[in-house]
């Protein structure tokens, strides 16, 4: 009640989540003639999820002394709310592994999953997989090699499924509400804002071919993989026109393809009694595109609403990357200092037909580097990671640099580099209380970065022979200490709206914390 104009609000929320899991498997292992090794497993699993919630709220208390212990003492008791959500998944599974002299390897598996979340006739999904490998280093022509200690060629193919939807997304549900007729209060039931639809499993089929090479008794280990991943019946939220009476629906909108190359190198660079140095490098080159959409129709994604900027910033379109940024290209300023947009259609008007591709949030490359060095009792380790070629849509900069009518705090260069007749090529338009802003390439920035994620220096204090302590270490470490990037805002390592079709959005994301730690470790 100490808040201004408040007569006190008390609220109680209670939730209970229960998961029951039953797993039943039978396994078989045997070796025949010292050459053939077979292992197999078959099984049945069942998992049941149940969530219950309760909420009660009252307003208008004479005193704060009650806290939440006497909701009935309020002048305006609220209507209690409760909910119940239930789902289940049933699975049959089997796998067989075969090895001949540890040179020729084969594995095959199959699982059938039935989920209560999908529509009738679509509840079951079937997911096979298989993999083969040939360990060349066990062949006679390489077995005695002093250079190659391990060489394996492998290939795999498999299908997996996703049921990442609300348990009742396919049902025609009615939400309870209240309305007044005359002087009486009535309970109502009406459809919600999400239109139900027939849904089935989202499935991902992946092929992978790779090679593993060990050199000099595995002192250097190199792995290379080429993969193609095709996702079909992609589950995604689709915005609907308000005239339909629903704001959105969930649909199996189509397919997406991801393909690329993964490389990794692990090396024991130095191995001496008092000095060791190990390092590993990994990198992934990735590309993706939308391969199919229901009816071939575009789907607008990534809706943003920040005072002066209200629109979709992304599009799903066949043949284009998932998460593709979509908007206008800027063409300088008008004589009045307002932003001018490029007329791509040439009709003299700026309409939605003048929108085009303005950025791609998917990186061309992801990389990481681990290093660990020890000298006598000292240990130094660090981890570096980064991305190359990805864009970020900087929603944060819209209200902070262009919404002059609200009097918001902003970057200094808005003051020093805005449009005037003497500065027609300024970074920002004329300062005005009637700013007109559209989704454009102005807000798209290069999100590539390299970051020192972690570094640690430790010293192992010599411990005399003891029956109760075996190790004592003092260390200092830092996290996210250094970042190299051209991104202008707080942090390039952001995803305000998560991944999927909404990746690459920065809307006042809290920056990654820079921290320092000093500590002790003891082993007893």
């Amino acid at each position: 009640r100490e808040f201004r104009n408040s007569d006190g609000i008390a609220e109680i929320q209670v939730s209970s989540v229960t998961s029951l899991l039953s797993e039943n498997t039978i396994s078989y292992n045997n070796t025949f003639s010292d050459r053939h090794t077979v292992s197999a497993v078959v099984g049945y699993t069942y998992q049941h999820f149940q969530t219950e919630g309760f909420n009660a709220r009252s307003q208008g208390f004479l005193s704060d002394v009650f806290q939440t212990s006497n909701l009935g003492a309020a002048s305006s008791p609220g209507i209690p709310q409760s909910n119940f959500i239930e789902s289940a998944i049933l699975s049959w599974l089997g796998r067989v592994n075969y090895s001949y002299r540890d040179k020729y390897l084969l594995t095959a598996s199959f699982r059938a999953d039935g989920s209560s979340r999908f529509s009738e006739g679509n509840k079951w999904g079937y997911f096979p997989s298989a993999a083969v490998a040939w360990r060349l280093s066990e062949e006679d022509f390489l077995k005695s090699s002093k250079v190659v200690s391990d060489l394996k060629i492998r290939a795999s193919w498999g299908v997996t499924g996703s049921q990442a939807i609300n348990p009742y997304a396919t049902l025609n549900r009615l939400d309870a509400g209240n309305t007044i007729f005359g002087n009486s209060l009535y309970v109502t039931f009406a459809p919600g804002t999400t239109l139900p639809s027939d849904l089935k499993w989202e499935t991902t089929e992946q092929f992978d071919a790779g090679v593993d090479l060990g050199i000099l008794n595995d002192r250097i280990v190199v792995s290379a993989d080429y993969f193609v991943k095709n996702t079909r019946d992609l589950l995604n939220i689709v915005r609907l026109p308000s005239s339909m009476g629903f704001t959105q629906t969930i649909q199996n909108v189509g397919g997406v393809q991801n393909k690329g190359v993964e490389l990794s190198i692990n090396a024991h660079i130095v191995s001496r009694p008092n000095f060791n140095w190990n390092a590993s490098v990994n990198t992934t080159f990735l590309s993706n595109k939308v391969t199919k959409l229901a009816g071939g129709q575009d789907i607008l994604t990534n809706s943003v609403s920040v005072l002066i900027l209200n629109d979709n910033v992304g599009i799903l379109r066949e043949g284009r990357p998932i998460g593709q940024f979509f908007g206008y290209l800027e063409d300088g300023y008008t004589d009045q200092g307002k932003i001018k947009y490029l007329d791509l259609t040439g009709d003299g008007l700026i309409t939605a037909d003048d929108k085009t591709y303005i950025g791609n949030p998917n990186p061309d490359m992801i990389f990481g580097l681990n290093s660990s060095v020890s000298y006598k009792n000292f240990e130094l380790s660090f981890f570096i990671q980064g991305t190359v070629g990805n864009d970020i849509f900087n929603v944060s900069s819209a209200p902070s640099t262009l919404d002059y009518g609200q009097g918001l705090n902003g970057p200094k260069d808005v003051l020093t580099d805005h449009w005037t007749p003497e500065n027609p090529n300024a970074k920002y338009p004329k300062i005005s209380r009637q700013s007109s802003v559209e989704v454009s390439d102005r807000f798209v920035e290069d999100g590539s970065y390299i970051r020192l994620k972690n570094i640690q220096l430790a010293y192992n204090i010599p411990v005399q022979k003891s029956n109760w302590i075996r190790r004592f270490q003092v260390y200092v470490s830092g996290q996210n200490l250094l970042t190299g990037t051209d991104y202008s805002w707080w942090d390039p390592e952001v995803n305000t709206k998560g991944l999927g079709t909404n990746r690459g959005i920065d809307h006042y994301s809290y920056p990654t914390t820079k921290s320092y730690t000093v500590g002790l470790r003891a082993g007893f």
Side-chain angles (χ1 to χ4, degrees), residues 218-221 265-270 277-281 370 372:
D218 287 351
R219 188 165 182 173
I220 300 175
V221 177
I265 302 175
N266 295 278
H268 303 285
I269 301 174
V270 179
W277 182 13
N278 300 321
S280 65
V281 179
N370 264 305
S372 176

Side-chain angles (χ1 to χ4, degrees), residues 188-476:
T188 63
F189 287 91
T193 58
T194 300
L195 176 67
S197 58
D198 290 333
L199 299 173
K200 54 186 175 181
W201 283 86
E202 174 184 306
T203 56
T204 298
E205 178 182 4
Q206 179 167 335
F207 169 78
D208 183 281
V211 58
D212 300 318
L213 173 63
I215 303 174
L216 302 175
N217 199 26
D218 287 351
R219 188 165 182 173
I220 300 175
V221 177
V222 180
S223 294
D225 287 86
Y226 170 76
F227 65 89
V228 179
K229 182 188 294 185
N230 290 292
T231 299
R232 59 181 182 270
D233 299 321
L234 181 71
L235 292 166
N236 194 66
I237 295 175
V238 177
R239 302 291 175 183
L240 298 175
S242 57
S243 59
M244 292 188 64
F246 298 92
T247 60
Q248 63 183 22
T249 186
I250 300 176
Q251 294 180 359
N252 293 106
V253 296
V256 174
Q257 182 186 82
N258 289 272
K259 62 181 179 180
V261 175
E262 293 180 339
L263 301 172
S264 68
I265 302 175
N266 295 278
H268 303 285
I269 301 174
V270 179
S271 182
R272 296 287 187 269
N274 289 324
F275 182 63
N276 287 276
W277 182 13
N278 300 321
S280 65
V281 179
N282 62 81
T283 182
T284 300
F285 300 90
L286 179 67
S287 66
N288 75 42
K289 65 179 179 179
V290 178
T291 56
K292 183 180 179 181
L293 290 173
Q297 296 296 312
D298 297 340
I299 298 175
L300 297 177
T301 62
N302 268 337
S303 175
V304 298
S305 178
V306 285
L307 299 177
I308 59 171
L309 190 65
N310 296 276
D311 202 352
N312 296 92
V313 305
I315 189 171
L316 285 177
R317 175 173 286 175
E318 291 183 357
R320 302 300 304 179
I322 189 169
Q324 174 81 69
F325 297 143
F326 193 69
Y328 298 98
L329 297 175
E330 292 195 7
D331 188 26
Y333 301 105
T334 67
D335 294 337
Q336 291 76 39
K338 294 184 178 181
I339 299 173
K340 186 167 61 174
Y341 299 100
L342 200 60
D343 180 13
L344 297 180
T345 60
D347 60 2
L349 301 173
I350 299 299
T351 66
D353 293 333
D354 294 305
K355 288 186 176 182
T356 187
Y357 314 120
I358 58 175
N360 182 357
N362 302 286
D364 298 322
M365 183 178 71
I366 303 170
F367 63 89
L369 169 64
N370 264 305
S371 178
S372 176
V373 178
S374 64
Y375 175 70
K376 294 185 177 180
N377 291 327
F378 288 94
E379 297 178 4
L380 174 66
S381 63
F382 64 84
F383 172 52
I384 294 173
Q385 74 171 31
T387 65
V388 177
N390 58 296
D391 293 321
I392 296 175
F393 194 94
N394 188 357
V395 179
S396 310
S397 66
S400 296
T401 64
L402 299 171
D403 186 18
Y404 312 126
Q406 297 294 325
L408 301 177
N409 192 13
K412 181 179 179 181
D413 60 352
V414 175
L415 175 65
T416 59
D417 194 12
H418 64 269
W419 184 94
T420 63
E422 297 76 23
N423 187 20
N425 299 316
K427 183 177 180 180
Y428 301 102
K430 179 181 178 181
I431 294 179
S432 170
R433 294 176 64 91
Q434 288 82 37
S435 298
S436 177
V437 181
E438 302 290 347
V439 171
S440 71
D441 54 345
R442 168 181 292 271
F443 306 105
V444 178
E445 300 185 37
D446 182 9
S448 305
Y449 74 92
I450 181 171
R451 168 169 282 168
L452 178 62
K453 289 293 292 183
N454 183 275
I455 185 169
Q456 177 178 286
L457 176 64
Y459 179 73
N460 295 300
I461 299 175
V463 177
Q464 300 297 329
K465 290 184 178 181
S466 172
N467 293 327
W468 61 277
I469 187 169
R470 60 179 175 82
R471 185 190 187 199
F472 196 81
Q473 183 188 76
V474 58
Y475 69 93
V476 58

Side-chain angles (χ1 to χ4, degrees), residues 21-25 41-47 89-96 108-115 123-130 157-163 201 203-204:
L21 174 63
S22 174
E23 294 183 324
N24 308 273
T25 59
V41 62
V42 294
Y44 156 86
T45 68
Y46 172 79
Q47 191 163 15
I89 183 170
L90 176 68
S91 304
W92 297 94
L93 54 91
R95 183 185 68 234
V96 177
S109 67
F110 181 83
R111 63 181 297 140
D113 297 303
S115 173
K123 294 187 180 297
W124 284 91
Y126 304 97
F127 310 110
S129 68
W157 169 88
V159 180
T160 58
S162 172
Q163 56 159 350
W201 283 86
T203 56
T204 298

